[in-house]
Amino acid sequence: MSIVNDTSFSFNKQFKFNFNGGELSSDGGLFLLKEFAHRIGFEKIIRDNFQTNDSAAFRFHTDDKNLMQRIFQLLAGYFNDNDADELTTDPVFCAVLGKDALASQPTMSRFFNRLDEDSLVQFEKIFRILRQKVYGIRPPENILLDLDSTLLQTYGHQEGEGFNYHYQSHGYHPLLCFDGLTGDLLKAELRKGTKYCSSDAHLFLESLLNEFLEKYPELTRSTRIVGYTFLIPEGADDE
C-alpha cells in the first residue's frame, strides 16, 4: 500500500491533499501586527528603553523579548499566564518573536515579579515616544482630554484591591485619560479599589499636560478637559 504524499483532486489539479499536518496555528493575523511593529520601530523602542532592575548577568529570555511576548499574547486574546505554556512552540508566535520557543509560564511569572516603579516610568517614556511618532505622521488639530475611571474586578486578595461602592464589586479602580475626538488612550494609572473617582486627578494630569506644553505647544490652545478644571501653568501664553 502506497503512502499518500501529495495527491491532486481530479476536478481541480491546483488542490492537493496529504496526511502531513505540518505546523499549524490559528493566529496568522499576528504577522500583520508584527509588520506594523517592525515598520514603526516598536521593537527597538522597547529594547532601548525597557529593562528590569535585575542583577542576573545572563538570561536566555531577555526582558524586551518577554515584554514583546506578553504584548502579542494580549493582542491575540491570550490573557491568562498559563497560555504561555500552550504557545511555547506555536509556529506563528515563534516566527513573530524570532525565537525557537517562547518563554514558559514560570519564566513569565518571574518576569512580572521583576517589574517595579522604575518599570512604570519606563512604560510612560515608551508611551510618549510612540505618541511622538504618531503625531509626527499626522499631528492632530485639536485634542479633547476625556477623564474617566472604571472597575477591574478581582477574585482573590490581590494587593490594593478593595470594595468599590459605586460599582458594588471588588477590584481596582484605575483612572484613564482618552482623546475624546479619536478615542486614543493617552494615559492610565492603576489605583486601589477604594479610591474615589476624581482623587488626585490633577496629579494624574500633570505629566500629560507638561508633555503637551513642551512637545506640542501649538495644541495647548485648543485643548479641553471634559469634567475637570485646571490652571494654565505660570508663564504660559494666555492668548
Side-chain angles (χ1 to χ4, degrees):
M1 181 177 178
S2 62
I3 299 176
V4 177
N5 291 319
D6 255 338
T7 304
S8 301
F9 289 101
S10 58
F11 71 90
N12 190 327
K13 297 297 183 180
Q14 291 183 339
F15 292 98
K16 298 181 179 181
F17 68 91
N18 59 45
F19 292 114
N20 179 19
E23 294 182 314
L24 303 177
S25 176
S26 59
D27 300 303
L30 288 180
F31 284 119
L32 299 177
L33 295 173
K34 165 71 173 185
E35 178 68 10
F36 173 74
H38 178 72
R39 293 204 176 197
I40 66 172
F42 183 59
E43 296 153 304
K44 186 177 187 303
I45 293 173
I46 296 295
R47 190 167 55 250
D48 293 345
N49 296 280
F50 176 74
Q51 184 176 2
T52 60
N53 292 320
D54 188 84
S55 58
F58 173 79
R59 182 173 284 109
F60 181 78
H61 298 285
T62 58
D63 288 333
D64 59 302
K65 290 290 188 180
N66 289 337
L67 180 57
M68 291 300 298
Q69 176 177 328
R70 183 56 175 169
I71 290 173
F72 277 112
Q73 282 188 212
L74 293 175
L75 289 172
Y78 297 101
F79 303 115
N80 296 324
D81 291 352
N82 291 334
D83 291 333
D85 286 337
E86 298 179 8
L87 298 169
T88 302
T89 57
D90 182 276
V92 170
F93 272 91
C94 289
V96 163
L97 295 171
K99 304 171 69 174
D100 294 329
L102 273 63
S104 64
Q105 179 271 321
T107 299
M108 293 300 293
S109 294
R110 290 191 293 270
F111 166 67
F112 297 146
N113 288 333
R114 294 197 299 273
L115 302 181
D116 54 18
E117 294 290 336
D118 289 339
S119 302
L120 296 179
V121 174
Q122 292 173 3
F123 289 150
E124 286 196 11
K125 181 180 179 181
I126 292 170
F127 218 11
R128 290 195 298 270
I129 294 173
L130 291 174
R131 181 158 41 239
Q132 198 165 2
K133 280 184 172 289
V134 172
Y135 288 176
I137 297 172
R138 181 178 295 179
E141 296 181 1
N142 301 282
I143 293 178
L144 189 146
L145 301 182
D146 184 4
L147 271 71
D148 201 0
S149 61
T150 188
L151 180 78
L152 294 179
Q153 282 188 300
T154 56
Y155 302 93
H157 299 286
Q158 293 93 328
E159 181 182 355
E161 73 87 30
F163 183 76
N164 187 281
Y165 285 92
H166 176 75
Y167 291 98
Q168 291 293 297
S169 183
H170 278 266
Y172 297 107
H173 194 198
L175 187 61
L176 309 170
C177 181
F178 296 89
D179 184 338
L181 301 178
T182 64
D184 294 338
L185 177 64
L186 301 178
K187 187 176 180 181
E189 181 179 298
L190 187 65
R191 305 184 304 174
K192 293 182 178 180
T194 55
K195 202 80 168 179
Y196 186 70
C197 296
S198 60
S199 294
D200 298 327
H202 63 296
L203 298 177
F204 172 79
L205 277 173
E206 185 176 4
S207 63
L208 190 61
L209 291 175
N210 287 338
E211 177 191 347
F212 278 98
L213 286 169
E214 177 184 353
K215 299 290 186 181
Y216 319 104
E218 69 281 358
L219 291 175
T220 58
R221 297 299 141 239
S222 59
T223 298
R224 291 179 54 205
I225 295 182
V226 177
Y228 292 90
T229 302
F230 66 98
L231 299 177
I232 300 293
E234 291 183 7
D237 187 2
D238 58 0
E239 293 183 0

